[in-house]
Amino acid sequence: GRFANALIGYREAVDGVEAVGDFSPGVDYLSRVLVESYGEERTIDEIEEIGIEQFQRGIERLEMFGQGEWLDVYESFFPPNFSPDNLNGTYSSEVERIKKFLEKSGVVDPDWAGGLLIEEVPPYLQSVRSAAAYSAPSPGGGIKSPGIFYIIPSLPGEGGTNSDELIKSHREFVFMTAHETYPGHHLLDGVRTSLKNMIRSRIESPLFYEGWACYSESLLFDSGYYEGSEYLDGFMLQ
């Protein structure tokens, strides 16, 4: 039908595009994208300066926290409330804790996201995935498919993984949970795929997409999620 013919036409158009060498959009192009697509009035140089300043501030805080040996402190940290023998249960519990906190605090409404499943990353994808990943629900009206929060049960290439090493690979499981589910990717995609506009519901911006998920990690700090927790007392910076 019309849809199949459109795909065929698109393939023919792509086949006719010649490959080019190194491609760089250039500062002018990126500046225009920031202004026209994101309403950002700051220049590329100003944004870079902010990024460098934030990076340096983070390094200084880490050095103060670890007396110059912050990497050793980080490597020695093992998260509380983590069970290497029950990864699915560990992540499921954290998802529910974060969701209930968001509901109670009113920071965001997690029900916007829709259903969520927690599954193991398929073996063929484990070598190209980190400790966790997320797959968005399909856009469209009616009953939506659930989002899927993927976790890796063991280190790639290892059958019986050492429990200490497994804990290290998941030491940031609280942040990964917030990043991938609530209030991160799952919440954002739940809203996006619910949009009535069929085009907008299928478009995601990598810049905003990952920016929102990273912001979600900070949002848990700012909203008080970690206050009084073993996680904060054991490792996090005040």
Side-chain angles (χ1 to χ4, degrees), residues 23-65:
F23 170 76
S24 174
V27 174
D28 291 340
Y29 174 79
L30 291 176
S31 299
R32 196 180 74 187
V33 169
L34 289 171
V35 172
E36 297 180 1
S37 300
Y38 297 96
E40 178 58 65
E41 298 180 354
R42 286 170 291 196
T43 67
I44 294 290
D45 290 338
E46 290 173 329
I47 294 174
E48 181 183 24
E49 186 177 341
I50 292 172
I52 294 174
E53 180 182 338
Q54 292 292 330
F55 173 78
Q56 188 59 42
R57 185 181 303 173
I59 294 296
E60 290 173 357
R61 293 182 67 191
L62 286 169
E63 290 176 346
M64 288 174 59
F65 178 68

Side-chain angles (χ1 to χ4, degrees), residues 17-185:
V17 176
E18 295 183 1
V20 298
D22 294 337
F23 170 76
S24 174
V27 174
D28 291 340
Y29 174 79
L30 291 176
S31 299
R32 196 180 74 187
V33 169
L34 289 171
V35 172
E36 297 180 1
S37 300
Y38 297 96
E40 178 58 65
E41 298 180 354
R42 286 170 291 196
T43 67
I44 294 290
D45 290 338
E46 290 173 329
I47 294 174
E48 181 183 24
E49 186 177 341
I50 292 172
I52 294 174
E53 180 182 338
Q54 292 292 330
F55 173 78
Q56 188 59 42
R57 185 181 303 173
I59 294 296
E60 290 173 357
R61 293 182 67 191
L62 286 169
E63 290 176 346
M64 288 174 59
F65 178 68
Q67 290 79 48
E69 302 296 334
W70 60 269
L71 185 57
D72 293 336
V73 175
Y74 175 76
E75 290 292 341
S76 66
F77 171 72
F78 288 85
N81 305 320
F82 185 89
S83 173
D85 299 323
N86 184 15
L87 282 181
N88 192 292
T90 296
Y91 279 95
S92 296
S93 297
E94 192 60 35
V95 166
E96 288 304 312
R97 278 196 293 268
I98 293 177
K99 184 178 180 181
K100 289 179 180 178
F101 172 80
L102 294 174
E103 290 173 342
K104 183 178 180 180
S105 65
V107 175
V108 293
D109 185 354
D111 289 335
W112 290 339
L116 177 69
L117 300 177
I118 299 179
E119 299 180 0
E120 293 183 2
V121 175
Y124 69 91
L125 286 177
Q126 290 186 16
S127 62
V128 295
R129 286 293 186 183
S130 59
Y134 176 73
S135 178
S138 58
I143 300 176
K144 289 199 313 179
S145 60
I148 303 177
F149 180 26
Y150 287 109
I151 56 175
I152 296 180
S154 61
L155 300 179
E158 297 187 18
T161 302
N162 178 282
S163 61
D164 287 349
E165 291 300 318
L166 184 60
I167 290 174
K168 287 181 180 179
S169 70
H170 289 270
R171 61 157 55 92
E172 297 175 7
F173 81 98
V174 177
F175 293 107
M176 284 193 288
T177 301
H179 184 107
E180 305 289 356
T181 64
Y182 306 100
H185 288 320

